[in-house]
Amino acid sequence: MATLLYRVGLWSAGRAGRVITAWALLLALAVGGFLMFGGTLAAQFSIPGTETERVNEHLEDQLGSSATGGTVVFHTTGAAEFTGDQREHISSALDQVEQVEQIPEVIDPFEAQQERAAQDAELAEGLAEIEENRPQLLEAQEGLTAGLEQARALGAPEQEIAAMEAELDEVSAQLVTLEEQSEQLDLAADLAALAEDIRTVSEDESVALATVLFEDDVFSVPEEVKQEVMDVLDAADLPGVQVEYGAEIAASIDGLIGAGEIIGVIGAALVLILVFRALRPAMLPVLASLVGVGVGVGGSMAFSGTVEMTTVTPVLGLMLGLAVGIDYSLFIIYRHRRQVREGMDVRESIGLANGTAGTAVVFAGLTTMIALLALAITGIEFLAVMGVVAAICIVVAVPVAITFTPAVLGLIGSGVLSRTARERAANRAVPPRSNEPMGTLRAVATVLIGVGALAVLAIPATSMRLGLPDGSSEPQDNTQYQAFTITAQAFGEGQNGPLVVTADLPEPVAEDEELQVQLDLATVLAGRADVAAVAPVGTSAGRDFMAFQVIPIEGPSSESTEALVHDLRAASPLFDGTELAVAGLASGNIDISDQLADALPVYVLVVFGLSVVILIGVFRSILVPVLTALGLGLSLFAALGATTAVFQWGWFGEAFGVHTPGPLLNFLPLLLTGVLFGLAMDYQLFMVSGMREAYAHGTPARRAVTAGFHNGRVVVSVAALIMVAVFGGFAFSQITMVRPMGFALAVGVLFDAFVVRMLIIPAAMHLLGRTAWWMPAWLDRITPNMDVEGAALQRTRTRERELADA
């Protein structure tokens, strides 16, 4: 491969115009394809086959609708009561929303309040009427009974007695009917009491909640429909009323590229300028990464109209495309600069750098791509799509690095070095380098301190909770945050995440027993800890299925709500055989988190096993791959610990926009494992391959460690700083789910590059000495040799030069 890439590098440098034009055309095609064929992105996550989806389907079968929808919050300025005009304007605006395609119904909060008040009034009137009529009927029954006894005693005619008996039976029947009505009204009153705290208008009459029902489940509603709902309400004439939207309606990818992301790329460019001390070679990696990202993300998003993608899908591709695109180009440029500085011909150096560093880039890209594609083994569709899109960006970044970079280097020529560096190259002023090994005591201390520090940082990960962010995690000026906060203050936190509990009865109930069964089940549900209110939703036509709305005390991402969902499911079946099931947005998020958590151990095992197998072929060693995997584990858990401390515990949260700590993004551990695996392999490759090369050329094992460290430390440091800058920019994103991703990747790279790869691994390699390169003879024979450093190419070029000199 090294020889092939050498030739590719020479060809690209000699035909720079063609290569650059070809990539420009690919970029235009990718962007054009996205603009012409790109679809909308899903703002919510779903996993087919979860318990929540099963319950939603069952609910739709039994009641004809799963009743999914989004919340719109209306509130007056200054917390004043809604006026009559404001109520009319809001109702009129909601009527217009109901005309939007795929919106079957809108629940008007004021109409719902009036219906609720009318029902309460009717119930109270019915109970009062019963209380009023009961004494009269009892008195009439007593009078008729006494009169009948007296008539019989006096021997009244049979016809008269029969008439009196008929009248008594009629009064008694009226009393029975009255008692039955009283019993039903009492049951209805008890049910109403359990649902008392479920309101659509706040007690102070300043906040109202409207529900926009969707034809499809909330995960499948097109963004155009949600946007049209917001457009209609934003355009409505609502004087003195502000409108906020819940996450089911307002989630979007606005702010995908914000100030933080731009600053991150600028930071990466500054690092390159400081290292290269020349503008043109410093800007080349940034330019290469932008071309790769444009082709990779644009081309992938062109298929978003046919393949369902989430709003976070392009973000991962963008982050990785920018970071690895800069790094891969950097590796080749750095090798080329070093060779030119040592006096090599520019054209020859481009080919050789492409054949050596380019081979390492291809291998690094391959390992990262495999780790991302391996996300498919989780069986979770949206995560697999994210992995595929990110892998495509890696696949594009590699050919950009090995063709576009040599092409531009060919145009730059000797300008790849600064004037000072060119003068040094002309004078062959290359300072000697000492390869004295580190002291053994220092190596022991380095390993102990490094491992101990990362272990301490990993401690918060032991309390890590997984979930999806709710409205409380959004920026405080965001409409989702405002809707969430206003709802929590006016109606209680649980109103932001109501649950739907279904009950499959062991057998159908009689019509006159329906209310009693509903009350019994509602009482059982209300008796659970952390339940604020319960209300019946409906009963199936066969009266063997019932559904209830359950309002938790706390919000959808709280520990108590999560415990409530698990508690309700664990309670099924009830003592009479009734099967309970739970659905709702909070339940769906819990199901997704649980399934992701179950998939994590398998994925980690596959990735770690893969790293060991691949590195055995690369380094011809058993212990080096094991050290690599252990180091990756340290970096991974330290990154998860730091992320947990910031985003779940709230430490230094204000610096990263965390005003309301909550559970960690549920798919973050999986993504972090895959991405960090690929990047750790890159750094391990560029650091340890130099050690292996020196050892293979006869350098003593401990001196080889120092030689490899000296050769790789600068490029690994610069590459890591660039990664940290790019990922760190995304840690300040306006998108809530992106911030923890950017932060975790930034600190993960920081720990892995500067603590694991540059401190712990060299120290451990020093302690192992020659043992680090031990490999059983039988395994050495059957393991393919991966010439990552291009040693074969180096030998070929040396022989060619010797023949030319002869």
Side-chain angles (χ1 to χ4, degrees):
M1 178 180 288
T3 303
L4 174 62
L5 291 177
Y6 167 80
R7 293 170 179 166
V8 169
L10 291 180
W11 185 89
S12 300
R15 297 166 178 79
R18 297 182 188 178
V19 172
I20 295 172
T21 301
W23 280 111
L25 289 174
L26 283 175
L27 179 59
L29 285 173
V31 174
F34 167 61
L35 294 176
M36 292 176 62
F37 305 111
T40 58
L41 301 178
Q44 308 289 337
F45 297 92
S46 66
I47 299 180
T50 60
E51 175 66 8
T52 296
E53 288 212 358
R54 185 193 68 79
V55 175
N56 281 335
E57 291 172 0
H58 189 42
L59 190 65
E60 188 166 0
D61 290 340
Q62 294 289 338
L63 300 183
S65 172
S66 58
T68 59
T71 302
V72 180
V73 180
F74 299 93
H75 62 105
T76 60
T77 55
E81 290 186 13
F82 288 106
T83 65
D85 287 343
Q86 288 172 334
R87 291 171 182 257
E88 289 180 6
H89 281 88
I90 291 173
S91 296
S92 176
L94 293 176
D95 287 339
Q96 295 178 47
V97 170
E98 200 164 2
Q99 305 306 313
V100 174
E101 189 177 358
Q102 299 189 39
I103 301 297
E105 184 182 358
V106 176
I107 299 177
D108 186 319
F110 303 113
E111 289 183 4
Q113 182 193 40
Q114 291 173 357
E115 290 176 5
R116 174 76 174 271
Q119 290 172 356
D120 290 344
E122 185 178 351
L123 183 61
E125 183 180 345
L127 288 171
E129 185 177 346
I130 286 173
E131 291 303 316
E132 181 181 347
N133 292 336
R134 181 185 284 116
Q136 297 175 6
L137 289 174
L138 286 173
E139 184 178 352
Q141 185 185 45
E142 290 176 1
L144 286 171
T145 301
L148 182 60
E149 291 177 356
Q150 185 178 8
R152 285 173 178 165
L154 295 175
E158 289 295 328
Q159 186 176 3
E160 182 179 345
I161 292 176
M164 294 180 67
E165 286 177 345
E167 188 176 357
L168 178 60
D169 289 343
E170 183 180 351
V171 171
S172 297
Q174 290 178 358
L175 269 173
V176 170
T177 302
L178 190 71
E179 293 303 328
E180 290 176 351
Q181 292 175 347
S182 176
E183 183 180 355
Q184 293 295 307
L185 290 176
D186 286 338
L187 293 173
D190 291 340
L191 275 172
L194 293 176
E196 185 178 2
D197 292 333
I198 301 178
R199 306 174 57 90
T200 56
V201 180
S202 62
E203 292 185 5
D204 64 0
E205 303 272 326
S206 66
V207 181
L209 301 182
T211 302
V212 179
L213 299 181
F214 304 131
E215 282 186 357
D216 298 319
D217 63 86
V218 69
F219 304 107
S220 306
V221 180
E223 289 299 308
E224 294 90 343
V225 174
K226 300 177 182 179
Q227 186 60 52
E228 188 173 354
V229 169
M230 291 188 287
D231 290 343
V232 169
L233 292 175
D234 290 342
D237 181 22
L238 303 174
V241 176
Q242 292 183 335
V243 186
E244 310 293 350
Y245 304 97
E248 303 87 355
I249 296 177
S252 69
I253 58 171
D254 290 343
L256 177 60
I257 299 296
E261 292 84 348
I262 295 173
I263 291 172
V265 175
I266 293 174
L270 291 176
V271 171
L272 290 168
I273 292 172
L274 290 174
V275 171
F276 290 155
R277 300 180 184 277
L279 185 61
R280 285 181 291 177
M283 291 298 99
L284 174 52
V286 177
L287 179 61
S289 73
L290 292 176
V291 171
V293 164
V295 174
V297 176
S300 300
M301 297 306 293
F303 294 93
S304 59
T306 55
V307 178
E308 183 176 338
M309 298 182 184
T310 66
T311 52
V312 184
T313 300
V315 177
L316 181 63
L318 185 63
M319 281 196 294
L320 286 179
L322 286 173
V324 303
I326 293 174
D327 275 5
Y328 290 170
S329 182
L330 165 69
F331 292 145
I332 296 173
I333 296 170
Y334 181 81
R335 184 67 175 250
H336 171 55
R337 281 169 51 86
R338 191 178 74 185
Q339 293 168 170
V340 172
R341 192 165 50 242
E342 292 172 352
M344 186 178 292
D345 174 71
V346 171
R347 179 176 166 79
E348 171 70 9
S349 176
I350 292 173
L352 189 58
N354 214 50
T356 53
T359 303
V361 164
V362 171
F363 176 78
L366 179 64
T367 55
T368 306
M369 181 188 70
I370 291 173
L372 291 168
L373 291 177
L375 288 170
I377 68 174
T378 62
I380 299 168
E381 186 177 353
F382 82 83
L383 200 59
V385 173
M386 290 177 67
V388 169
V389 171
I392 289 173
C393 292
I394 300 297
V395 169
V396 173
V398 171
V400 167
I402 61 177
T403 59
F404 183 84
T405 300
V408 179
L409 287 175
L411 292 178
I412 293 176
S414 60
V416 73
L417 296 177
S418 64
R419 181 177 300 176
T420 303
R422 287 199 296 272
E423 292 174 357
R424 287 183 180 178
N427 298 324
R428 302 292 193 272
V430 180
R433 178 178 292 165
S434 172
N435 289 329
E436 284 296 321
M438 71 177 74
T440 300
L441 184 61
R442 175 187 167 191
V444 172
T446 300
V447 171
L448 292 177
I449 293 173
V451 171
L454 292 180
V456 170
L457 288 169
I459 290 175
T462 58
S463 64
M464 180 176 62
R465 291 178 54 235
L466 299 178
L468 283 173
D470 55 32
S472 64
S473 303
E474 297 290 337
Q476 293 181 321
D477 59 350
N478 187 291
T479 186
Q480 298 173 53
Y481 175 83
Q482 293 297 327
F484 188 97
T485 305
I486 292 169
T487 300
Q489 292 173 349
F491 302 95
E493 294 180 16
Q495 189 66 49
N496 283 300
L499 303 174
V500 177
V501 178
T502 63
D504 282 283
L505 307 178
E507 58 184 19
V509 298
E511 185 175 359
D512 58 349
E513 296 176 353
E514 182 179 331
L515 276 178
Q516 181 64 62
V517 174
Q518 278 188 328
L519 179 61
D520 291 342
L521 290 173
T523 302
V524 169
L525 297 175
R528 297 285 169 180
D530 301 309
V531 171
V534 178
V537 173
T539 302
S540 65
R543 287 196 292 275
D544 58 352
F545 175 87
M546 294 180 177
F548 300 85
Q549 185 183 50
V550 176
I551 306 297
I553 290 177
E554 295 189 312
S557 63
S558 67
E559 291 183 72
S560 66
T561 300
E562 182 179 351
L564 174 61
V565 171
H566 291 304
D567 183 40
L568 289 171
R569 288 173 174 170
S572 181
L574 298 180
F575 56 87
D576 62 350
T578 299
E579 297 279 351
L580 296 182
V582 186
L585 189 61
S587 169
N589 290 344
I590 290 170
D591 286 343
I592 293 173
S593 300
D594 288 345
Q595 190 160 337
L596 288 167
D598 291 340
L600 181 60
V602 176
Y603 181 70
V604 170
L605 183 63
V606 170
V607 168
F608 275 62
L610 183 65
S611 68
V612 171
V613 170
I614 291 176
L615 290 180
I616 286 175
V618 173
F619 295 122
R620 324 301 298 170
S621 165
I622 295 294
L623 293 180
V624 170
V626 172
L627 282 177
T628 304
L630 293 176
L632 173 60
L634 283 172
S635 305
L636 176 63
F637 285 105
L640 288 174
T643 310
T644 301
V646 172
F647 289 88
Q648 183 178 316
W649 291 5
W651 291 7
F652 309 107
E654 291 185 2
F656 299 95
V658 182
H659 48 78
T660 307
L664 234 58
L665 188 63
N666 50 24
F667 56 85
L668 178 61
L670 278 162
L671 281 183
L672 182 62
T673 300
V675 175
L676 200 57
F677 162 76
L679 301 181
M681 293 283 279
D682 295 355
Y683 301 142
Q684 184 79 350
L685 178 67
F686 283 96
M687 185 66 70
V688 180
S689 59
M691 301 177 188
R692 173 66 186 176
E693 184 181 11
Y695 179 73
H697 284 80
T699 305
R702 288 189 168 89
R703 286 181 177 271
V705 171
T706 305
F709 177 76
H710 285 160
N711 286 333
R713 63 182 175 180
V714 174
V715 68
V716 169
S717 298
V718 175
L721 287 174
I722 288 170
M723 289 276 189
V724 171
V726 174
F727 292 149
F730 283 88
F732 299 94
S733 172
Q734 290 298 305
I735 303 178
T736 303
M737 284 188 287
V738 173
R739 290 199 298 269
M741 289 170 56
F743 178 85
L745 288 171
V747 297
V749 168
L750 189 68
F751 297 153
D752 192 81
F754 292 102
V755 180
V756 174
R757 307 301 155 192
M758 298 185 68
L759 292 177
I760 296 176
I761 293 297
M765 295 282 288
H766 172 88
L767 295 175
L768 290 173
R770 294 180 58 188
T771 310
W773 306 111
W774 173 81
M775 186 175 181
W778 64 268
L779 184 60
D780 187 54
R781 286 193 301 270
I782 66 173
T783 304
N785 186 12
M786 302 179 187
D787 183 29
V788 177
E789 270 296 303
L793 172 63
Q794 298 274 17
R795 290 192 294 269
T796 300
R797 302 308 300 154
T798 300
R799 286 196 299 270
E800 289 178 354
R801 285 194 296 270
E802 289 173 351
L803 290 172
D805 292 340

